Amino acid sequence: MTTMGRMTSGVARQMAPRAVAMAPGLTSSFVREALHRAIVGVGPLPPAAKAAEAQLREQRGDVDRAVHEVIENHVRYAGAQGFVTNIGGVVTAALTIPTNVTGLALIQCRMVAGIAHLRGYDLDDPRVRNAILTCMLGRDSVDKLVKRRKLPAPPMALATAPQHDPELARRISAEVAGELVARVAGKRLAVTVGRKVPVVGGLVGLGADGVNTWRVGRYADSELLPRARR
């Protein structure tokens, strides 16, 4: 990571808890709503499982190739700033949350849900939904939270836990909300700094969401191991 990247990331993570505290809707409500919309479909986006099945047909039943296509498609969605903002507006209509935050949440939820479906997980299972949201934190954040005992286990273990824990679900939603706010705040700060150099600001704004989405997708791909598909 560059010096500017480390600076913006650090400042953004300091800002995130304050932003969450200022807007209670930034906790479980908007994160769970984004996940629900991703699974059932919203606007021009069909349900996650339906889109994933379409990719599986295109890849002639090759699950790994279908997963790769799901990731690539959602990286493109995330990189399209106008698309992210418009989709995010569907979720934030009644909430005081920036549309870019919810748009990114929706796209990443949908991508990970599609991967989970292709790997044989039941998207209606609340344990699987916890695993989907945990994947969105990324490997480094999950490892730290597990080490600090704020999470009991990584996504795969959460998806196959003996029983669902509602309190854990709320905790995961809050962690994801903070992470998303930090990412978007970091991107905006980097864009502000980048404006001093022609073109750089635009490239930062366009690429940050795409790169973050690609990392989340790769983590979900490696973490959600195959189960028997229904």
Side-chain angles (χ1 to χ4, degrees), residues 45-73:
L45 296 176
K50 183 177 180 180
E53 286 294 331
Q55 290 300 325
L56 187 61
R57 288 192 296 272
E58 280 190 20
Q59 302 305 320
R60 300 181 179 181
D62 188 321
V63 172
D64 288 339
R65 291 183 64 177
V67 166
H68 174 79
E69 288 302 310
V70 166
I71 294 172
E72 291 298 315
N73 287 343

Side-chain angles (χ1 to χ4, degrees), residues 37-42 45-53 110 123:
R37 298 293 183 95
I39 290 174
V40 303
V42 59
L45 296 176
K50 183 177 180 180
E53 286 294 331
R110 187 172 183 269
L123 300 185

Side-chain angles (χ1 to χ4, degrees), residues 155-205:
M156 176 70 183
L158 295 179
T160 56
Q163 60 185 12
H164 172 59
D165 180 356
E167 177 54 36
L168 176 61
R170 287 188 287 272
R171 194 157 66 245
I172 291 171
S173 297
E175 291 289 347
V176 172
E179 182 70 22
L180 288 167
V181 171
R183 289 174 189 171
V184 172
K187 181 188 68 175
R188 289 180 178 176
L189 186 58
V191 169
T192 300
V193 175
R195 282 175 183 161
K196 296 180 180 179
V197 181
V199 182
V200 172
L203 291 176
V204 170

Side-chain angles (χ1 to χ4, degrees), residues 10 19 21 56 76 85 110-111 114 138 149 152 154 198:
L56 187 61
R76 285 192 287 270
T85 300
R110 187 172 183 269
M111 173 184 67
R149 298 185 179 180

Side-chain angles (χ1 to χ4, degrees), residues 8-27:
T8 55
S9 177
V11 173
R13 290 183 185 283
Q14 291 178 10
M15 294 167 58
R18 298 175 190 174
V20 172
M22 291 171 63
L26 278 172
T27 55

